[in-house]
Amino acid sequence: MTGAAAEFDPISLGILWDRLISITDEVVSTLVRTSFSTIVRESYDLTVVLLDDGGSLVAQGTYSLPVFMGTAPVTLQHMLARFPAATLRSGDVIVTNDPWLGTGHLFDITVMRPVFHRGRIVAYTVSITHLPDIGGTGFGAAATEIFHEGLRLPICKLVRAGEVDSFLLELIRANVRVPEQTIGDLMANVACNEVGARQLVEFLDEYDMPDLAALSRAIRAQSEAVMRQRIAAMRPGRYAHQITVEGFDEALTLACTVAVSGADIHVDFTGTGPTVGRGINVPFCYTRAMALYALKCLTLPTLPNNGGSAAPITVTAPENCVLNALPPWPTGGRHIIGHYVVPLIFGALAEAAPDRVQADCGMMDLITFQGSHRNGRDVTTIYFSAGGFGAVAERDGQNT
């Protein structure tokens, strides 16, 4: 090995890398066991990641939504801009559900905890879950502006040095239909990040490592090197693709151009139609995350997620196209359009990587249930329905 990866022999690097993934997996397990909603406990609409002290993604839980490897590092940077690392204390927990700072809609809460070791921050644990309710019109695409969609939390401290902000919990409780589930899921995020911080400190002590910096560099360098090899194996050139999808008043055009140049890829969504007056607009954070996911599927589908695989990729989109919506456009159903980013990019690269591109697959369907139980209690939940996989070069598609 050369460069950063040479700081560890291959066997040691493999063992340490697996240990970090096992830590994130234990955090996922804690999150699932302690959550109140079926959205987390059964549907696993969640993500857990570990980032180094510079904010680079090091490891992601195995049973996590892979797309949020693209949003979590960006959200962390927004959090550190609001609360610089030098101001953070052990036991602090930062949260936000802002669509443009987080995952693209109000219904996902991003929760971060700094990890202190030997008196300084050495890492950050971050968890993301889809909340059972956040008020407003409820989960869906019916809103015509962001203010209809529910409670929007700016970046704020939910826990200060181990002390929970009771007013913030009271504010959330007063704005949601199922407070016991929403607050329960939120505090499950707090608990799982505490477990992650504790286990990471134990890991560093076990191997007598002062921090994660060197190991993070090695892991990311390994992934980036392989990623660049896979990109370089594609046919260089500029590849364009366009699809038309159903909208509300009229059909929407989604377009992209993918430029493969040496070991780098640039994705541009110029040509995509404008934002619309319903909650299917997609903030750029989600569009970029879906693009990173699509390209990783075509290059390194079996390698664990970390920041190295994203390093060779850049993404752009015109402001206030439907794939780069700005406030106050509604974004509650951003996944309805955002999930088309993957087949859009696949279609563009069908010529550049014909042996890797997958045919269209069954899109995810969601049904939201809101109302009152016969005993008078409010009810809100989501039913996930998905199935089928598109064919690839060597295998037929899988039926639903």
Side-chain angles (χ1 to χ4, degrees), residues 129-154:
T129 64
H130 186 116
L131 294 173
D133 192 69
I134 200 63
T137 58
F139 182 51
T144 58
E145 57 181 354
I146 190 66
F147 308 108
H148 297 160
E149 294 187 330
L151 181 64
R152 181 176 169 190
L153 296 171

Side-chain angles (χ1 to χ4, degrees), residues 7 91 104 106 221 253 377 379:
E7 300 179 52
L106 291 172
T253 297
R377 296 181 64 186
V379 174

Side-chain angles (χ1 to χ4, degrees), residues 41-390:
R41 289 189 289 106
E42 297 180 9
S43 300
Y44 275 68
D45 194 343
L46 60 88
T47 290
V48 167
V49 296
L50 175 65
L51 306 102
D52 65 21
D53 61 347
S56 295
L57 180 65
V58 183
Q60 182 180 33
T62 305
Y63 290 101
S64 295
L65 295 177
V67 67
F68 293 140
M69 72 171 180
T71 65
V74 178
T75 304
L76 175 61
Q77 294 306 318
H78 287 302
M79 289 176 166
L80 294 178
R82 173 66 180 84
F83 296 104
T87 69
L88 295 176
R89 299 293 178 263
S90 180
D92 284 353
V93 177
I94 315 299
V95 304
T96 187
N97 72 333
D98 187 296
W100 290 274
L101 306 179
T103 71
H105 65 183
L106 291 172
F107 306 94
D108 289 337
I109 190 78
T110 301
V111 180
M112 179 274 279
R113 180 188 178 106
V115 180
F116 282 80
H117 181 239
R118 300 177 184 176
R120 65 186 184 91
I121 293 176
V122 294
Y124 302 90
T125 61
V126 173
S127 63
I128 303 168
T129 64
H130 186 116
L131 294 173
D133 192 69
I134 200 63
T137 58
F139 182 51
T144 58
E145 57 181 354
I146 190 66
F147 308 108
H148 297 160
E149 294 187 330
L151 181 64
R152 181 176 169 190
L153 296 171
I155 293 170
C156 52
K157 280 190 181 183
L158 174 61
V159 184
R160 291 180 172 83
E163 189 72 25
V164 177
D165 187 329
S166 59
F167 173 75
L168 186 55
L169 291 184
E170 184 181 350
L171 176 67
I172 297 170
R173 187 178 288 110
N175 279 276
V176 300
R177 296 172 178 84
V178 284
E180 72 287 348
Q181 290 188 46
T182 301
I183 299 300
D185 279 11
L186 178 58
M187 296 310 294
N189 278 273
V190 174
C192 78
N193 279 285
E194 182 173 352
V195 169
R198 183 172 67 243
Q199 291 205 353
L200 180 60
V201 169
E202 292 173 356
F203 166 82
L204 294 174
D205 283 338
E206 179 180 347
Y207 289 96
D208 194 25
M209 299 169 62
D211 53 42
L212 275 182
L215 180 57
S216 173
R217 285 195 302 269
I219 290 172
R220 288 182 290 113
Q222 189 84 340
S223 295
E224 181 177 351
V226 181
M227 183 71 164
R228 291 190 180 278
Q229 290 174 8
R230 298 293 176 83
I231 294 173
M234 294 183 181
R235 300 174 189 170
R238 292 174 59 84
Y239 303 93
H241 188 48
Q242 179 175 304
I243 59 178
T244 302
V245 300
E246 183 180 3
F248 281 90
D249 299 322
E250 58 185 15
L252 296 174
T253 297
L254 306 179
C256 78
T257 301
V258 182
V260 180
S261 177
D264 295 285
I265 286 184
H266 177 68
V267 182
D268 179 31
F269 292 98
T270 297
T272 295
T275 46
V276 298
R278 294 295 182 95
I280 58 174
N281 302 291
V282 189
F284 181 71
C285 58
Y286 190 77
T287 297
R288 175 180 176 271
M290 292 299 290
L292 294 177
Y293 166 69
L295 291 169
K296 190 170 186 298
C297 287
L298 296 178
T299 51
L300 298 176
T302 60
L303 201 67
N305 289 327
N306 61 74
S309 59
I313 303 168
T314 54
V315 184
T316 55
E319 290 189 351
N320 277 331
C321 75
V322 74
L323 292 176
N324 186 6
L326 301 178
W329 290 105
T331 67
R334 51 90 167 104
H335 52 282
I336 296 173
I337 298 299
H339 278 191
Y340 283 102
V341 168
V342 175
L344 182 65
I345 291 175
F346 281 6
L349 291 175
E351 181 182 348
D355 60 328
R356 292 182 173 273
V357 168
Q358 176 183 318
D360 285 346
C361 61
M363 298 295 285
M364 182 171 65
D365 295 313
L366 303 174
I367 303 175
T368 303
F369 294 92
Q370 292 176 237
S372 298
H373 193 272
R374 66 185 63 181
N375 63 13
R377 296 181 64 186
D378 288 332
V379 174
T380 177
T381 191
I382 302 171
Y383 174 72
F384 289 80
S385 176
F389 295 91

